[in-house]
Amino acid sequence: MPPASRIDSRVEDVIAWFAREARDLPWRDPGCSAWGVLVSEIMLQQTPVNRVEPVWREWMSRWPTAHDLAAAPQADVLRAWGRLGYPRRAKRLKECAAVLVERHGGDVPRELDELLALPGIGEYTANAVRAFAFGERAVVLDTNVRRVIGRAWRAQPLPTAHLTRAEREHAAALVPASALEAAAWNAGSMELGALVCTARRPRCDECPLQAECAWVAAGAPGLEEAPRRTQAWHGTDRQVRGRMMALLREADAPVDLASCPQLEDVEPEQRDRCLASLVADGLVEARGGEPVTYTL
Ligand code: SF4
């Protein structure tokens, strides 16, 4: 990635804002291990910071290294994941820990190709680990960063569904040459998008970019009309799967989920489909016998 030839004043403003306003999060502590950063990035993929932080703290005190997690029983790992959602991430994290032990002596590698070869690590997470754990210059483009750049530089109300090559190149050109500033820009633009430049109600009055923001200068067009990409939740398979996982996390013996009173409102067809998918994902184990019972 070629270094930015000159730091953009908007990038400087975000870095200065982040130095003042950054939330004090444990995975931002300079003493946090690369493993701790990796765990935080996996947890934060689909879950907000306030829900992740207590789980991360408990997780790291219980399994402070990849060796510890690799040796833990999967049922304990799924229980500790609790209500973070998308529990396949917990299973993949345990698999990732096992590969770290096997290939890297339990350490997290810093090279992009080695990170991408780990289970559950995609381009975003690999770059985030490089930036936040190792201070490498990297393009860390989550939806918050895309929204800030899209608005402040290109007067675009919301990011498109898919990242384009032009967008990636523009984002890469903004990353400062110094690794320290690059890390502050990456974390700061993400924080600004999470706290101030939010999707539907940006708080432009509190934003360090207000005077320079292209979207504000254009009269803040297009946000009301932009389609909402909200996912229905109640009654979905994802919700039913979540309820089943919660029942199993709290149970101290295998559960007959097919006739469980807490799932009475779920149609048998949906119940069977959700159970089959949990078993197929390796999150739930079916015990033989009649009735069939299930456990983590
Ligand atoms: S001024 Fe408003 S729209 Fe522009 S970057 Fe800041 S919060 Fe986002």
Side-chain angles (χ1 to χ4, degrees):
M1 178 178 61
S5 50
R6 199 172 60 79
I7 189 162
D8 187 296
S9 64
R10 283 162 286 193
V11 171
E12 278 181 332
D13 289 344
V14 171
I15 292 172
W17 173 86
F18 186 62
R20 293 191 307 273
E21 305 288 341
R23 285 172 292 183
D24 185 16
L25 298 172
W27 47 87
R28 287 183 180 158
D29 185 310
C32 182
S33 65
W35 166 245
V37 172
L38 187 151
V39 170
S40 77
E41 287 299 335
I42 301 285
M43 289 183 173
L44 289 164
Q45 278 169 4
Q46 278 135 326
T47 313
V49 164
N50 58 341
R51 285 174 52 207
V52 164
E53 188 177 352
V55 177
W56 184 91
R57 285 185 187 279
E58 196 188 321
W59 188 284
M60 292 303 295
S61 69
R62 196 163 173 190
W63 301 302
T65 68
H67 282 281
D68 299 315
L69 187 68
Q74 181 172 293
D76 289 359
V77 173
L78 291 171
R79 280 199 176 88
W81 191 259
R83 306 187 72 84
L84 290 184
Y86 296 100
R88 268 176 291 190
R89 288 181 292 166
K91 183 169 179 283
R92 298 289 276 171
L93 191 48
K94 180 170 155 54
E95 289 164 6
C96 178
V99 175
L100 287 175
V101 169
E102 191 185 301
R103 292 189 202 148
H104 302 284
D107 293 332
V108 176
R110 66 194 294 160
E111 297 306 323
L112 186 63
D113 56 345
E114 290 179 321
L115 284 163
L116 288 171
L118 298 170
I121 306 290
E123 186 185 336
Y124 166 78
T125 306
N127 278 314
V129 169
R130 280 168 55 73
F132 303 138
F134 299 113
E136 294 281 348
R137 283 185 73 247
V139 185
V140 185
L141 264 182
D142 77 344
T143 182
N144 289 319
V145 179
R146 292 183 65 208
R147 192 166 57 248
V148 169
I149 295 177
R151 285 178 180 162
W153 274 264
R154 296 196 301 273
Q156 181 187 18
L158 288 170
T160 52
H162 300 289
L163 183 65
T164 63
R165 188 171 163 180
E167 194 183 346
R168 190 195 306 269
E169 286 173 359
H170 179 214
L174 294 176
V175 178
S178 121
L180 213 59
E181 286 180 328
W185 157 247
N186 279 324
S189 53
M190 201 174 288
E191 188 90 326
L192 190 68
L195 299 182
V196 178
C197 191
T198 55
R200 291 287 159 183
R201 293 177 198 274
R203 299 206 298 273
C204 302
D205 289 345
E206 298 166 33
C207 181
L209 302 182
Q210 190 182 24
E212 310 165 281
C213 176
W215 187 65
V216 168
L223 192 53
E224 291 306 318
E225 307 86 70
R228 289 176 184 268
R229 288 205 291 267
T230 50
Q231 282 181 313
W233 164 245
H234 189 76
T236 59
D237 282 9
R238 199 159 80 75
Q239 190 216 19
V240 172
R241 282 168 51 109
R243 289 169 62 190
M244 290 173 165
M245 289 296 289
L247 284 166
L248 296 181
R249 277 198 308 272
E250 282 148 27
D252 45 21
V255 180
D256 173 11
L257 287 171
S259 56
C260 174
Q262 291 96 323
L263 297 171
E264 259 175 10
D265 57 317
V266 180
E267 292 292 333
E269 192 187 322
Q270 184 180 32
R271 182 197 62 212
D272 293 348
R273 183 172 66 239
C274 291
L275 264 175
S277 72
L278 286 172
V279 172
D281 286 346
L283 296 169
V284 164
E285 195 183 318
R287 295 286 175 94
E290 191 55 47
V292 177
T293 55
Y294 296 86
T295 185
L296 291 179

